[in-house]
């Protein structure tokens, strides 16, 4: 019986300390069972976003290559948007902190704009910073959602 108490008391203390540690870290460290999801839509415009007024006729940029670059332009992950211009990048939280992802990384659309609309510039890339969009719990899995701030054309 004494062995059970010796084993139970440290577990109880550890369980009580976890919420305090999480509050002190300001949710900058994701839980062990989690991931980062960077998701968005690329539009076929000179700024890669919906036109002013939310025009429903703004065309999407299908099959655009979207790359997550961190630091000095190092490619961390590359995906291709689907036919609706939607892309999603999943990252292991053991390799990134949310704060460094938001301040040290960016999204770059490497597919030329002229690919989706010949009247748009043939050179340059769409670039966007990242922003925190919330957390989704799926059972025991915590998904930290990150979205583009807004794409701009850089020639």
């Amino acid at each position: 019986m004494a062995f059970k108490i010796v084993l139970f008391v440290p577990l109880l203390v550890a369980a009580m300390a976890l919420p305090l540690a999480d509050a002190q870290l300001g949710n900058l460290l994701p839980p062990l069972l989690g991931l980062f999801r960077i998701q968005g839509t690329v539009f076929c415009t000179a700024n890669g976003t919906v036109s002013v007024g939310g025009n429903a006729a703004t065309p999407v940029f299908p099959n655009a290559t979207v790359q997550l670059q961190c630091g000095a332009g190092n490619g961390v992950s590359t995906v291709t948007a689907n036919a609706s211009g939607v892309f999603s990048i999943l990252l292991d939280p053991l390799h990134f902190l949310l704060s460094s992802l938001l301040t040290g990384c960016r999204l770059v659309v490497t597919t030329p704009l002229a690919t989706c609309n010949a009247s748009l510039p043939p050179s340059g890339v769409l670039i966007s910073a990242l922003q925190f969009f919330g957390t989704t719990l799926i059972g025991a899995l915590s998904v930290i959602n990150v979205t583009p701030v807004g794409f701009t054309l850089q020639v």
Side-chain angles (χ1 to χ4, degrees):
M1 182 69 164
F3 178 72
K4 289 182 181 179
I5 291 174
V6 170
L7 184 61
F8 179 71
V9 170
L11 287 174
L12 183 61
V13 170
M16 292 172 53
L18 282 176
L20 179 61
D22 186 44
Q24 289 175 342
L25 291 172
N27 281 335
L28 293 179
L29 294 174
L32 292 177
L33 291 176
L35 57 89
F36 289 113
R37 176 175 51 199
I38 303 170
Q39 187 170 319
T41 303
V42 182
F43 292 91
C44 187
T45 60
N47 64 1
T49 59
V50 176
S51 60
V52 177
N55 183 355
T58 302
V60 295
F61 195 158
N63 305 315
T65 300
V66 181
Q67 185 176 59
L68 176 66
Q69 295 181 354
C70 297
N74 300 324
V76 173
S77 182
T78 302
V79 297
T80 302
N82 66 15
S84 300
V86 175
F87 66 91
S88 184
I89 299 171
L90 299 176
L91 299 173
D92 182 350
L94 296 177
H95 295 105
F96 296 93
L97 290 175
L98 179 59
S99 59
S100 62
L101 186 64
L102 297 178
T103 59
C105 299
R106 64 188 185 163
L107 293 172
V108 179
V109 178
T110 58
T111 307
L113 278 174
T115 304
C116 68
N117 184 339
S119 66
L120 293 172
S123 62
V125 292
L126 294 172
I127 296 178
S128 176
L130 299 170
Q131 65 184 352
F132 173 71
F133 193 69
T135 303
T136 305
L137 290 175
I138 304 172
L141 181 68
S142 177
V143 180
I144 308 220
N145 299 299
V146 177
T147 61
V149 171
F151 288 98
T152 57
L153 178 64
Q154 293 192 4
V155 182

